[in-house]
Amino acid sequence: MAEKDAAEIGQITFFLAREEKNFAELIDSEADITKKSNYRKQVFKVGDNPCEFLFFEAHSERTNPPWLDFVNEQVQPKEHFSFSGHSKSANGILLIKIKDRIFAATFGRSAIGCLRKDRVEPDFGIKTAMNLCGNEEIRQTKSQSNTITTTHIDRQVAQPSDAFVFGLSEAEDLKYISAHVKGDKSITLQGRDSLTIKIIGEDKLSWDRLIKQCEQFLDAYASTDYAALFPNYKNFKPATSEETTSLDLILVNKLRSGDFEKLRLSIPEFLTDDEFSFSYTNYPSKDNIIHSHIDVSQLSSAFLLTEIDIEKLKSKKIYAYSPEDDRIIHNKRWVIYDCIVYEHELGGKYFILSDGRWVEVDDDFYKSIKDFVG
């Protein structure tokens, strides 16, 4: 292919695998990706970098939405309104190994649901974006406050501004930023667990540039420059495997006893109330119990609490439900363990479970909060 005809792309979203050495470990076996419509796999190389591309189609059947059935109650049977439709969409997962690390790029709405989110770096996107963008050309932030009730706070400005304009309080934990890359306003990075690169103008991402860009992302992810620029990003120390095991056991015992006092449930991303409700089941018929909001007390109906364990918390999911379409949104789901917010002291240290990770709260930070409350 001639250089002038080379295919390019202007936007792509990447996840970074933790320590996996082969591509298959990133794919969720429960997704049954090989059984999806038109599934195909291609293996190739870009330079010396091994790649794998998985393709499938997602199909959706539509029938009367609830509001149309509601109107039909006042319409003569012969004049009833009816609707049916069928849609399909292309989805893909691109896996690339660079410097012995695996990147996963998702395309289409359903592809992300096929990744094992517990196998990707949870802070890859936001750390990389903070280090490459700095704190002066920010467009949007999302933060979380784990007070009595978990609060998600979304801020957006009309033009790129520095972090001080956003007015983040000390109690907020920065979860997402969208900002221009330092020195290049044609490139925007959006960072949370994943990293989205968006390029405007004629100079898009070719395959060669894509590989170089991922190498730059790896270097930026390893940097600690963000610490001085973003004091609201709480880089808590991960709990050790032994501490995690002990804390998980304490959590399970709390649930088995029905002691929900210090437990909260919170979807680990910002969702608008008017678009979604929630369900703990995903039946093909309309037998799902729908909740307008999630609450920890609902776990007693989702589980037999006396038999609950960590494996069940990490396998059972919460699904988004669309009132508009009267259906479960299959690609919007979260394991319950990732939605639990719980705090506990262990061995003189204070830990928080959030986004599916136990982290140790900085001792000085914890003492300052206790002094302030006192």
Side-chain angles (χ1 to χ4, degrees):
M1 183 181 287
E3 180 66 28
K4 65 178 181 180
D5 297 324
E8 296 179 323
I9 191 170
Q11 180 171 326
I12 191 167
T13 297
F14 280 110
F15 294 86
L16 178 65
R18 285 181 169 172
E19 298 297 335
E20 280 62 31
K21 301 303 180 186
N22 63 76
F23 295 146
E25 293 179 11
L26 263 74
I27 306 302
D28 189 348
S29 59
E30 291 187 13
D32 284 334
I33 189 171
T34 59
K35 296 181 181 178
K36 294 187 182 296
S37 178
N38 268 345
Y39 169 79
R40 289 178 57 199
K41 179 173 80 171
Q42 285 290 316
V43 178
F44 52 93
K45 280 191 172 184
V46 178
D48 295 327
N49 303 103
C51 301
E52 190 171 288
F53 181 69
L54 312 176
F55 172 83
F56 65 92
E57 293 179 359
H59 295 256
S60 177
E61 299 283 349
R62 300 294 179 89
T63 57
N64 272 17
W67 54 266
L68 202 52
D69 288 335
F70 181 74
V71 171
N72 280 338
E73 286 233 344
Q74 300 300 321
V75 176
Q76 293 296 323
K78 292 190 296 185
E79 302 295 332
H80 273 190
F81 298 95
S82 64
F83 168 80
S84 64
H86 173 83
S87 64
K88 65 179 182 178
S89 60
N91 296 270
I93 301 175
L94 174 64
L95 302 161
I96 309 174
K97 182 173 282 189
I98 299 175
K99 293 183 177 180
D100 210 31
R101 296 298 300 269
I102 296 176
F103 285 84
T106 57
F107 305 93
R109 292 185 176 182
S110 300
I112 191 172
C114 297
L115 286 183
R116 285 197 58 175
K117 298 297 287 294
D118 61 323
R119 296 290 180 90
V120 301
E121 298 283 8
D123 55 3
F124 164 65
I126 189 166
K127 277 189 180 179
T128 304
M130 288 188 295
N131 283 325
L132 288 177
C133 300
N135 62 353
E136 295 182 353
E137 291 284 326
I138 303 174
R139 304 194 68 96
Q140 188 177 22
T141 65
K142 295 180 181 180
S143 57
Q144 180 175 308
S145 176
N146 290 319
T147 52
I148 296 174
T149 299
T150 300
T151 305
H152 297 280
I153 304 160
D154 195 351
R155 295 178 176 91
Q156 188 171 16
V157 293
Q159 61 184 30
S161 305
D162 62 50
F164 302 104
V165 172
F166 286 80
L168 295 160
S169 76
E170 292 183 2
E172 294 175 47
D173 188 5
L174 190 62
K175 294 291 186 180
Y176 164 92
I177 70 164
S178 174
H180 292 312
V181 169
K182 284 182 285 190
D184 192 345
K185 291 189 176 182
S186 68
I187 302 178
T188 301
L189 296 181
Q190 300 166 0
R192 42 183 165 240
D193 54 351
S194 61
L195 181 72
T196 298
I197 178 171
K198 184 188 296 184
I199 303 177
I200 60 173
E202 297 182 1
D203 194 14
K204 309 292 188 187
L205 289 170
S206 63
W207 279 102
D208 288 341
R209 184 180 174 187
L210 186 66
I211 298 298
K212 292 177 182 177
Q213 197 72 68
C214 287
E215 291 174 347
Q216 183 186 18
F217 292 158
L218 279 178
D219 292 338
Y221 179 55
S223 172
T224 57
D225 291 347
Y226 67 88
L229 299 173
F230 294 90
N232 281 90
Y233 182 73
K234 308 293 192 304
N235 187 21
F236 295 133
K237 178 183 175 183
T240 66
S241 58
E242 293 80 7
E243 289 168 338
T244 297
T245 300
S246 298
L247 290 162
D248 279 345
L249 181 58
I250 293 168
L251 170 65
V252 166
N253 288 333
K254 285 285 184 183
L255 289 169
R256 286 177 177 175
S257 66
D259 182 3
F260 300 149
E261 184 180 357
K262 293 185 178 180
L263 285 162
R264 299 187 298 279
L265 276 187
S266 175
I267 297 299
E269 62 180 271
F270 184 87
L271 294 175
T272 54
D273 269 357
D274 59 336
E275 287 189 55
F276 300 108
S277 297
F278 306 96
S279 172
Y280 294 87
T281 55
N282 183 22
Y283 300 132
S285 62
K286 296 183 179 181
D287 297 330
N288 301 290
I289 298 174
I290 306 301
H291 303 273
S292 60
H293 301 85
I294 63 170
D295 184 84
V296 69
S297 63
Q298 295 159 1
L299 294 181
S300 59
S301 60
F303 292 104
L304 183 59
L305 287 182
T306 55
E307 298 180 4
I308 204 168
D309 56 31
I310 287 298
E311 287 69 29
K312 290 177 182 177
L313 287 175
K314 291 184 176 180
S315 60
K316 192 167 181 62
K317 299 176 177 66
I318 297 174
Y319 301 88
Y321 164 82
S322 169
E324 176 74 16
D325 299 324
D326 192 22
R327 66 186 181 96
I328 300 293
I329 309 300
H330 302 282
N331 61 306
K332 276 198 171 294
R333 61 183 190 267
W334 309 266
V335 297
I336 289 178
Y337 187 77
D338 291 353
C339 299
I340 293 176
V341 180
Y342 180 53
E343 304 172 14
H344 193 78
E345 192 170 349
L346 179 70
K349 302 176 183 178
Y350 203 76
F351 296 89
I352 292 178
L353 174 63
S354 181
D355 293 345
R357 291 191 303 159
W358 281 106
V359 293
E360 179 187 343
V361 179
D362 177 76
D363 194 49
D364 290 338
F365 177 71
Y366 177 55
K367 287 179 179 176
S368 69
I369 294 297
K370 288 189 70 176
D371 291 343
F372 174 78
V373 173

